Amino acid sequence: MPELPEVQTIVSDLNMKIKGEIVTSFWSDWKKGIRGNLRKFKKEIEGKKIINVERIGKNILLKLSGGTVVLIHLRMTGALLVKSQIPKFKEKYTHHIFFLKSGKRLEFSDIRKFGSLELIKISKKEKMAGLKGIGIDILDKKFTLSEFNRVIESRKTNIKQILLDQRKMAGIGNIYANEIIYEAGINPKRSTSSLRPTEKKAIYFAIKKIIKKAIKFRGTSISDYRDSSGERGKFQKMLKVYQRAGQKCSKCDTIIKRSAIGQRSTFHCPKCQK
Ligand SMILES: [Zn+2]
């Protein structure tokens, strides 16, 4: 599932490739993937200019002229591909296509079809506050150490689950949660209330470090993730614990353990993470 670094890679690519383009028409063979009415959706976007592409957490906002915004959820296997030439065949998993005036196409490919497109209206006030039900983006300037402390003190759970809670802070999924907690040297089962100030600080800086590094390497391709050119990310080579159960910890040679927290696979070094 694409997390913040993968979504940020796609958003940066889209701004380079299709910003300023006009949407001439839209095609879909998966009506259920469009929230609301397909005809209304087409009518609202056709003829509009792509002003820019933004990201809040793992959500993509395609901002069009006239205040129209298409909210894109990639979910499990969604991918946005920019094609310059008309392909000979429609790719099997392409379910929605935005045709652009220059001849380019923005294709939404989705193997498992959990992804969605939705028209939303964003007022200036909401823009400041983010999206309804979505917590603060972890790369937002307002996501300071004191804000992070406030967020983790707001829910009694373990550290791993609060990192994954999109209503509290947006952008981290299971891959990066495991890597962040390892980087910080904290046991993933530790309760948020047991964390000392120095430990919270270590987790906060691990979030910044791991996420920025993953963006630099254009995300992690463990299963389906591809960027807007269909290329894989490179951060999977840097993973220290995720899907490395049974292998040696790179810091201390202890065997990485696998467990489950909230039904999600969890990986940690029993020696380095206390
Ligand atoms: Zn270790």
Side-chain angles (χ1 to χ4, degrees):
M1 185 175 194
E3 303 180 28
L4 189 152
E6 292 77 40
V7 175
Q8 183 59 50
T9 300
I10 293 166
V11 165
S12 303
D13 283 0
L14 294 184
N15 277 316
M16 277 195 293
K17 293 178 178 177
I18 60 166
K19 192 167 159 176
E21 289 269 3
I22 309 283
V23 179
T24 51
S25 61
F26 178 81
W27 170 91
S28 177
D29 72 350
W30 178 239
K31 266 192 190 176
K32 280 186 186 167
I34 314 282
R35 299 269 172 84
N37 181 294
L38 175 61
R39 269 175 64 186
K40 188 180 174 239
F41 183 85
K42 278 170 70 96
K43 203 177 154 218
E44 275 286 330
I45 65 166
E46 286 175 357
K48 299 274 168 70
K49 183 175 176 177
I50 299 170
I51 305 295
N52 71 343
V53 189
E54 293 180 16
R55 181 193 58 72
I56 298 176
K58 306 175 200 173
N59 308 282
I60 297 170
L61 304 171
L62 193 66
K63 296 201 164 171
L64 305 178
S65 50
T68 301
V69 179
V70 181
L71 173 63
I72 305 173
H73 291 290
L74 299 174
R75 305 279 186 219
M76 299 288 287
T77 55
L80 287 167
L81 302 163
V82 177
K83 303 272 177 73
S84 296
Q85 285 166 348
I86 297 167
K88 286 194 180 106
F89 307 99
K90 181 184 86 68
E91 286 188 35
K92 193 179 169 190
Y93 300 113
T94 291
H95 296 296
H96 314 291
I97 304 175
F98 295 81
F99 292 92
L100 307 173
K101 203 172 181 179
S102 68
K104 287 183 185 174
R105 305 143 65 102
L106 174 63
E107 301 194 355
F108 193 137
S109 148
D110 197 0
I111 297 169
R112 296 187 64 184
K113 299 205 273 197
F114 290 124
S116 66
L117 300 174
E118 180 181 4
L119 281 178
I120 54 167
K121 292 276 178 191
I122 294 191
S123 69
K124 276 196 178 137
K125 199 178 153 203
E126 278 171 326
K127 193 181 163 192
M128 304 289 283
L131 285 171
K132 202 179 165 194
I134 305 283
I136 185 164
D137 186 277
I138 53 166
L139 289 188
D140 192 313
K141 282 192 190 107
K142 293 185 203 112
F143 187 65
T144 58
L145 176 59
S146 62
E147 176 61 15
F148 173 71
N149 287 337
R150 193 194 63 74
V151 167
I152 55 174
E153 281 154 22
S154 70
R155 184 182 160 200
K156 282 203 174 83
T157 180
N158 56 68
I159 183 59
K160 182 155 182 244
Q161 284 193 291
I162 197 124
L163 292 181
L164 292 173
D165 188 344
Q166 302 302 302
R167 295 164 301 170
K168 296 288 183 184
M169 58 186 126
I172 303 171
N174 200 34
I175 297 174
Y176 298 109
N178 277 292
E179 294 296 312
I180 288 163
I181 302 167
Y182 172 80
E183 174 71 26
I186 305 292
N187 186 302
K189 291 198 172 79
R190 285 277 300 278
S191 71
T192 50
S193 57
S194 76
L195 296 167
R196 293 188 295 272
T198 52
E199 292 174 323
K200 289 178 201 167
K201 197 173 165 184
I203 298 164
Y204 174 77
F205 285 104
I207 292 174
K208 300 278 179 184
K209 185 180 165 184
I210 297 289
I211 295 296
K212 283 180 182 164
K213 195 173 171 191
I215 292 172
K216 197 177 151 202
F217 285 90
R218 301 183 60 80
T220 302
S221 293
I222 290 282
S223 52
D224 302 297
Y225 167 69
R226 297 291 183 271
D227 68 16
S228 70
S229 307
E231 301 288 331
R232 292 164 61 86
K234 293 186 176 71
F235 194 74
Q236 60 276 16
K237 292 170 193 160
M238 323 284 164
L239 297 173
K240 300 276 176 60
V241 285
Y242 184 77
Q243 289 192 352
R244 296 194 74 237
Q247 298 180 48
K248 284 178 180 174
C249 166
S250 60
K251 287 183 202 161
C252 76
D253 281 356
T254 301
I255 300 297
I256 305 289
K257 283 227 159 73
R258 178 186 175 145
S259 58
I261 295 178
Q263 296 168 329
R264 306 297 302 274
S265 297
T266 302
F267 304 88
H268 83 287
C269 170
K271 196 176 171 191
C272 292
Q273 295 178 256
K274 300 288 179 195

